Amino acid sequence: MPISLAAPPLFLPGLLCNERIWARQLETFAAFNPVVACYGLSRSLTEMAEITLAGAPPRFSLIGHSMGARVALEIHRQAPERIERLALLDTGVHPPQPGEAEKRYDLLDLGKREGVDRMVDVWLPPMVHPDRQTDPTLIGPLHAMATSMGLSVFEAQIEALLGRPDAAPLLSSIEVPTLVGVGRQDVWSPLAQHQAIAAGIPGATLCVFEDSGHMSPVEAADQVNAALKVWLTAD
């Protein structure tokens, strides 16, 4: 069925991710001039949002994954009038939790001692479905993407994440059609977390992607694309 979009999709990658996390989505929606954000070495979600807005179309359908969904909420805080629709995948709205900084900096220290490959060896497997943590067809491309981002990007992005605000109070102000999606087996950002997010946004739709962990745009690409098509074409 043809997809009619009033505003181009703008994709926001998560931690240690780039346009490759959205490969299947970019292919599906190629006819509609999708845009993928690049944050450079931004060290705050505010700056990530500002950079994204500076390079974005005047109006867009905003799709964020993980940290990218947090950037999407910051974009909504800064320029809600430019957002036609909003999709938040595998994410959270809470501020930093006790012990989070230590865990993130432990990973960074590992990368500085033993290299980015070793750091990603530790970081990546818990991000995917437990049954696919050693699946080279899934892990290989994700590992290559994450290592290509490098330690300087990881350091900047964890600083941004550790400086994030509590975004929960923002949810009730969202007035655009909103999709909240999560992998059923996402242990990093679990289903209950997304149920609460969806409940906080008036009229939001919650979609659960089966047999998927945190990296749902890759792990459950067909399900994600189907959900995005419905969301993009809904009245």
Side-chain angles (χ1 to χ4, degrees):
M1 183 179 72
I3 309 168
S4 176
L5 303 183
L10 172 56
F11 291 94
L12 307 180
L15 178 67
L16 281 180
C17 296
N18 56 25
E19 71 280 353
R20 283 184 267 180
I21 196 71
W22 298 114
R24 291 283 300 279
Q25 289 71 44
L26 294 173
E27 179 182 2
T28 296
F29 301 107
F32 305 99
N33 301 311
V35 179
V36 183
C38 177
Y39 317 121
L41 291 175
S42 301
R43 292 181 174 269
S44 74
L45 298 185
T46 298
E47 186 179 2
M48 291 177 182
E50 291 169 350
I51 289 172
T52 300
L53 283 166
R59 193 164 168 83
F60 42 79
S61 296
L62 192 57
I63 307 157
H65 172 251
S66 192
M67 182 189 73
R70 292 183 180 275
V71 178
L73 290 171
E74 181 57 31
I75 289 173
H76 184 277
R77 192 192 306 275
Q78 294 183 23
E81 72 283 355
R82 293 179 64 182
I83 302 172
E84 182 170 288
R85 299 169 191 270
L86 179 64
L88 308 171
L89 308 182
D90 299 283
T91 193
V93 296
H94 53 278
Q97 302 298 291
E100 180 179 338
E102 290 81 0
K103 291 178 182 177
R104 292 191 185 277
Y105 282 118
D106 282 348
L107 273 172
L108 179 61
D109 290 343
L110 175 64
K112 289 179 176 179
R113 289 194 316 270
E114 301 186 28
V116 66
D117 280 4
R118 174 59 181 151
M119 185 190 78
V120 175
D121 286 343
V122 174
W123 173 79
L124 180 57
M127 296 289 169
V128 304
H129 190 289
D131 291 346
R132 301 194 68 190
Q133 291 181 358
T134 58
D135 179 353
T137 63
L138 175 67
I139 294 296
L142 289 174
H143 194 286
M145 174 188 66
T147 55
S148 75
M149 299 299 285
L151 287 177
S152 58
V153 168
F154 184 67
E155 184 169 14
Q157 291 184 350
I158 63 173
E159 183 174 325
L161 284 168
L162 291 173
R164 69 187 186 266
D166 182 356
L170 184 67
L171 300 181
S172 62
S173 70
I174 297 173
E175 298 180 346
V176 296
T178 301
L179 170 69
V180 178
V182 60
R184 174 77 71 182
Q185 288 79 25
D186 186 342
V187 297
W188 184 257
S189 303
L191 172 57
Q193 193 164 285
H194 294 75
Q195 290 170 329
I197 293 171
I201 301 174
T205 298
L206 176 66
C207 187
V208 180
F209 309 124
E210 302 298 339
D211 300 314
S212 177
H214 188 70
M215 297 297 192
S216 64
V218 174
E219 293 181 75
D222 290 342
Q223 295 177 65
V224 170
N225 287 348
L228 290 177
K229 286 179 183 180
V230 171
W231 164 76
L232 283 165
T233 57
D235 294 332

